[in-house]
């Protein structure tokens, strides 16, 4: 019985790979070239390529082509990537956007993405990691609640020689692959805008200052203030919110603007201060960070710094794939996505300047 045509194409390509004519990382001929070489249809070529991809011999990337994985590497690959999220709100659209971006890239590289929620619980995060290690995943993306407390969990992954990457937050003292946004530059943009609006009495309000991301935002705020000739002291950082005291300081004109480390805190600020008789933005301008989905749907639109959550997810999966393929070494590569300023009704020019 004659061998199916797609099997002829498949075996010929396999032979070239095994003979070293096509090496790991090499790009395979295009579909058109293979049709001419083997005198077969596009359907036949696609079936051969699909089988090779399903067996892990090659990786097919949309709009880029097909690449050799190497037969040995393919035999050991599960084609699974885990994404472990320590999140306070599983229905936050921001997390969904990160997952969506990672999923798109994982699919391009012929990977399936498994999502595990650990609900800000270190023990649950540890159990999720062990579960994924038992499933022999090829790599792990982690959105940790507190990357300092999670250090032992990261070490357990490293001991298993599984590539992993942190998303949104990291421990500056523990080298890692990372995908997040440019917190520092975003904070400079926001602070400069408040200064342009003639605010000089600005405070930075932090939600979780133990996070490196919030520390980077405060550093950007401090730099922009000093560049404008404005002093920055410990009093400019608010980490515990006494809204009665804060409202009193605002109404006495001791504070004219608040830059909040994220939109959730900014929205809470608006609600709490409004309940205490503070008019926003007339009495105090409020700036957030994230461009959280709810930020534009409030009765008072929130001025904020927008980060691209889908891009962060795409960058994370792209970099993790490079590490899995052995194309990135050193364990301390960080990719920062760009940020932009979004101006709405919660900020205005200082009427008392």
């Amino acid at each position: 019985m004659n061998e199916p045509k797609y099997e002829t194409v498949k075996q010929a390509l396999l032979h070239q790979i095994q003979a070293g004519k096509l090496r790991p990382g090499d790009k395979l001929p295009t579909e058109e070239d293979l049709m001419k070489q083997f005198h077969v249809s596009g359907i036949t070529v696609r079936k051969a390529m699909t089988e090779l991809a399903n067996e892990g011999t090659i990786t097919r990337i949309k709009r880029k082509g097909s690449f050799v994985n190497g037969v040995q590497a393919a035999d050991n690959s599960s084609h699974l990537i885990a994404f472990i999220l320590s999140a306070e709100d599983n229905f936050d659209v921001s997390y969904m956007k990160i997952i969506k971006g990672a999923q798109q890239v994982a699919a391009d590289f012929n990977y399936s993405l498994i999502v595990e929620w650990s609900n800000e619980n270190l023990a649950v995060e540890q159990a999720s990691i062990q579960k994924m290690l038992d499933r022999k995943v090829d790599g792990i993306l982690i959105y940790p609640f507190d990357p300092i407390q999670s250090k032992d969990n990261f070490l357990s992954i490293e001991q298993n020689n599984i590539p992993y990457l942190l998303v949104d937050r990291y421990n500056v003292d523990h080298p890692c692959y990372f995908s997040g946004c440019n917190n520092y530059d975003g904070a400079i943009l926001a602070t400069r805008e408040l200064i342009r609006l003639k605010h000089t009495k600005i405070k930075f309000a932090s939600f979780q200052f133990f996070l490196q991301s919030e520390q980077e935002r405060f550093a950007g705020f401090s730099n922009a203030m000093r560049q404008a000739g404005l002093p920055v002291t410990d009093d400019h950082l608010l980490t515990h919110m006494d809204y009665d005291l804060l409202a009193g300081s605002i109404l006495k004109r001791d504070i004219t603007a608040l830059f909040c480390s994220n939109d959730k805190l900014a929205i809470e600020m608006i609600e709490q201060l409004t309940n205490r008789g503070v008019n926003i933005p007339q009495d105090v301008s409020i700036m957030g960070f994230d461009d959280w989905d709810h930020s534009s749907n409030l009765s008072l639109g929130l001025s904020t710094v927008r980060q691209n959550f889908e891009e962060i997810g795409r960058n994370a999966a792209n970099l993790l794939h490079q590490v899995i393929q052995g194309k990135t070494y050193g364990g301390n590569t960080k990719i920062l996505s760009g940020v932009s300023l979004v101006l709405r009704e919660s900020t205005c020019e200082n009427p008392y300047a």
Side-chain angles (χ1 to χ4, degrees):
M1 187 174 176
N2 289 339
E3 183 178 62
K5 289 183 179 179
Y6 79 85
E7 189 67 29
T8 302
V9 177
K10 175 185 168 184
Q11 292 303 324
L13 291 172
L14 265 177
H15 178 72
Q16 290 183 48
I17 293 168
Q18 290 163 347
K21 293 178 181 178
L22 286 171
R23 297 179 177 277
D26 284 354
K27 186 176 180 179
L28 272 69
T30 65
E31 183 179 309
E32 290 76 11
D33 289 341
L34 290 172
M35 287 166 60
K36 291 175 185 174
Q37 181 180 340
F38 293 99
H39 305 288
V40 294
S41 68
I43 294 173
T44 298
V45 170
R46 284 192 290 276
K47 183 167 177 57
M49 300 293 266
T50 299
E51 289 219 350
L52 288 171
N54 290 342
E55 292 169 7
T57 305
I58 65 171
T59 295
R60 305 174 78 184
I61 305 172
K62 288 179 183 176
R63 296 179 293 279
K64 292 184 180 179
S66 299
F67 300 84
V68 179
N69 290 338
V71 176
Q72 186 59 44
D75 290 342
N76 297 325
S77 174
S78 67
H79 284 274
L80 297 174
I81 291 175
F83 196 163
I84 297 169
L85 289 104
S86 297
E88 58 186 344
D89 180 2
N90 293 8
F91 301 102
D92 188 330
V93 177
S94 306
Y95 301 130
M96 296 299 119
K97 288 179 177 178
I98 294 173
I99 292 169
K100 181 181 177 183
Q103 176 76 57
Q104 289 170 343
V105 171
D108 284 346
F109 292 125
N110 199 30
Y111 282 96
S112 295
L113 191 73
I114 309 170
V115 179
E116 286 269 319
W117 300 90
S118 56
N119 301 316
E120 299 187 356
N121 185 310
L122 208 60
V124 176
E125 180 182 270
Q126 182 182 24
S128 295
I129 289 170
Q130 189 55 54
K131 188 197 300 185
M132 293 303 106
L133 292 174
D134 290 343
R135 291 195 67 171
K136 308 295 184 187
V137 296
D138 290 341
I140 302 176
L141 301 171
I142 306 178
Y143 188 116
F145 171 62
D146 182 347
I148 296 174
Q149 289 187 27
S150 292
K151 185 176 179 179
D152 286 344
N153 288 346
F154 305 154
L155 288 172
S156 71
I157 302 173
E158 291 169 14
Q159 287 164 3
N160 281 271
N161 294 315
I162 300 296
Y164 73 97
L165 177 145
L166 301 189
V167 178
D168 187 75
R169 46 191 68 176
Y170 65 96
N171 177 358
V172 70
D173 295 319
H174 190 90
C176 66
Y177 295 107
F178 172 77
S179 174
C181 82
N182 194 329
N183 295 299
Y184 184 81
D185 286 0
I188 288 177
L189 281 176
T191 309
R192 283 179 178 168
E193 172 61 16
L194 293 173
I195 293 169
R196 187 190 70 79
L197 293 171
K198 301 182 180 177
H199 293 284
T200 56
K201 298 175 180 178
I202 311 169
K203 295 285 178 84
F204 182 92
S206 177
F207 188 65
Q208 295 168 325
F209 200 65
F210 61 86
L211 293 175
Q212 179 68 20
S213 55
E214 300 213 358
Q215 293 170 26
E216 289 169 358
R217 291 170 193 179
F218 180 64
F221 161 81
S222 301
N223 188 358
M225 291 282 283
R226 292 188 180 110
Q227 283 183 352
L230 300 172
V232 179
T233 66
D234 291 344
D235 290 340
H236 285 82
L237 174 63
L238 306 176
T239 54
H240 301 287
M241 307 308 148
D242 183 331
Y243 286 108
D244 291 331
L245 187 64
L246 190 58
S249 296
I250 290 167
L251 295 173
K252 287 189 293 183
R253 317 293 179 224
D254 292 336
I255 300 171
T256 66
L258 289 163
F259 177 19
C260 299
S261 61
N262 65 36
D263 287 354
K264 289 182 183 178
L265 178 57
I267 291 167
E268 179 184 305
M269 281 269 188
I270 291 172
E271 182 182 341
Q272 293 290 340
L273 292 174
T274 300
N275 290 341
R276 288 165 173 78
V278 175
N279 293 313
I280 298 161
Q282 294 84 357
D283 293 330
V284 65
S285 283
I286 294 185
M287 178 77 71
F289 199 113
D290 285 339
D291 199 26
W292 196 40
D293 261 41
H294 302 294
S295 304
S296 60
N297 300 327
L298 305 167
S299 56
L300 181 74
L302 178 65
S303 293
T304 188
V305 178
R306 175 179 293 160
Q307 55 173 315
N308 189 328
F309 295 106
E310 280 193 38
E311 184 178 278
I312 290 169
R314 289 194 298 269
N315 288 342
N318 259 316
L319 180 54
L320 184 64
H321 179 255
Q322 288 180 37
V323 180
I324 292 169
Q325 294 290 305
K327 296 175 183 176
T328 301
Y329 302 95
N332 204 31
T333 302
K334 293 178 173 58
I335 301 179
L336 304 182
S337 70
V339 291
S340 58
L341 203 56
V342 181
L343 300 179
R344 299 189 181 104
E345 297 83 32
S346 68
T347 53
C348 72
E349 187 170 313
N350 181 5
Y352 308 104

